[in-house]
Amino acid sequence: MAMIQNDWLDALKPEFVKPYYKKLFQFVSEEYNTRQVFPPSDDIFNAFHFTPLSQVKVVIIGQDPYHDVGQAHGLCFSVKPGVEIPPSLVNIYKELEDDLGCYIPNNGYLTKWAKQGVLMLNTVLTVRAHMANSHRGKGWEEFTDAAIRALNEQDRPIVFILWGKPAQMKESMLNNPKHLILKAPHPSPLSAYRGFFGSKPFSKTNQFLKQNGYDPIDWQIENI
C-alpha cells in the first residue's frame, strides 16, 4: 500500500495504531498475496492522494471498488482510460448532461474531479476479483468513517453527495451546519429511475459553492 503522505495523514494517523486496523492490514496483505484483488495495492488510497483534506469541497461516497479486471483505481465510480464505462457512471453522465449540458465523454476517468476538490471515497477500499462486497465488514468501514468524521469537523462549507442507502447511512455523522447534504437514489440501473435522474446534484453543488465564495467544479470530463 502506498502510504498517505499529505494532510490526510494527521487526520487518519490515530487509526493506523488501532487494533482493528492492524487486523485489517493483515487481512488485506494476505488477500493481495494469495488472491486477485482490486484496485492495485498502490492505488488503494488514491482518493486521499488526489484530494488533500484541506482542498476537499465536495464528497461523493461510493460502496466498494469495481471488481472486474482493469477497472478500479481508487476513486469511487471512476475507471481507468480505455475501460468500458460502467452502468452507474453511464447514468451519472446522463444526469450531468441533463443538469449542466455536459457532453458524454468517451471514458470514465474522473481524476479531473478529484483534482478540483471532489473526494471520491468508497466506504470499502478493496475487493476480491469478481466478488462484490467481498471485503465488507473487515475494517475498512471504520477507517473511512474516521475520514468522514474528519470532513464533518472541517470549519468550512463542504457538499456531501449521498447516492443510495449505504451512503445515506453516513448522514448521521454529518452534523456540521456549514455543510450541504444532497441525497438521491443510487445511479445504478436498478434504482436511477426512482429519483436519481432529475436530482440535479451538480448544479446544486456549484450553486452552493459559489454562494460560499468558492470556485465551482468544472464537471466536464473531456474525451481522450
Side-chain angles (χ1 to χ4, degrees):
M1 287 189 227
M3 275 303 297
I4 298 168
Q5 304 287 352
N6 59 21
D7 59 0
W8 273 110
L9 185 58
D10 284 339
L12 295 174
K13 192 184 293 182
E15 303 304 305
F16 295 127
V17 296
K18 291 180 179 178
Y20 88 85
Y21 190 86
K22 293 177 180 178
K23 282 164 65 173
L24 171 64
F25 186 87
Q26 289 172 344
F27 168 77
V28 170
S29 299
E30 177 70 11
E31 286 282 287
Y32 274 95
N33 287 334
T34 60
R35 307 273 188 165
Q36 188 175 25
V37 178
F38 302 125
S41 59
D42 283 348
D43 290 345
I44 291 173
F45 292 126
N46 270 356
F48 302 107
H49 295 157
F50 281 44
T51 315
L53 177 59
S54 60
Q55 295 175 24
V56 174
K57 298 196 281 190
V58 183
V59 182
I60 298 177
I61 297 177
Q63 288 177 251
D64 67 337
Y66 294 125
H67 52 80
D68 286 337
V69 175
Q71 291 181 307
H73 67 103
L75 305 181
C76 70
F77 295 106
S78 181
V79 291
K80 295 176 183 176
V83 175
E84 184 178 357
I85 300 172
S88 291
L89 184 52
V90 168
N91 287 338
I92 290 170
Y93 281 163
K94 286 179 183 173
E95 177 62 18
L96 186 52
E97 182 182 40
D98 289 342
D99 188 7
L100 291 178
C102 294
Y103 70 81
I104 294 177
N106 63 3
N107 68 93
Y109 194 51
L110 305 181
T111 54
K112 177 182 175 180
W113 294 356
K115 290 175 180 176
Q116 294 180 81
V118 182
L119 181 73
M120 309 187 64
L121 183 66
N122 280 314
T123 55
V124 174
L125 300 186
T126 55
V127 68
R128 196 181 286 182
H130 316 302
M131 294 178 63
N133 291 317
S134 48
H135 287 184
R136 184 170 61 188
K138 302 296 184 181
W140 279 129
E141 294 91 342
E142 194 165 343
F143 182 77
T144 54
D145 278 358
I148 292 168
R149 282 193 294 272
L151 290 159
N152 180 61
E153 291 165 4
Q154 296 301 297
D155 188 30
R156 66 181 190 279
I158 296 174
V159 182
F160 289 84
I161 298 177
L162 308 181
W163 289 329
K165 285 183 181 169
Q168 289 167 17
M169 287 170 65
K170 307 298 181 185
E171 185 180 6
S172 62
M173 302 167 63
L174 304 174
N175 57 11
N176 186 330
K178 292 193 172 184
H179 302 328
L180 174 67
I181 298 172
L182 298 176
K183 295 186 290 184
H186 196 274
S188 79
L190 295 173
S191 55
Y193 289 94
R194 296 181 196 147
F196 172 76
F197 289 132
S199 61
K200 300 190 179 300
F202 308 103
S203 59
K204 289 175 181 175
T205 292
N206 280 354
Q207 182 181 9
F208 179 80
L209 291 174
K210 286 188 279 191
Q211 285 172 348
N212 285 280
Y214 292 96
D215 290 334
I217 304 298
D218 176 5
W219 293 103
Q220 179 68 69
I221 299 295
E222 286 83 13
N223 285 333
I224 294 176

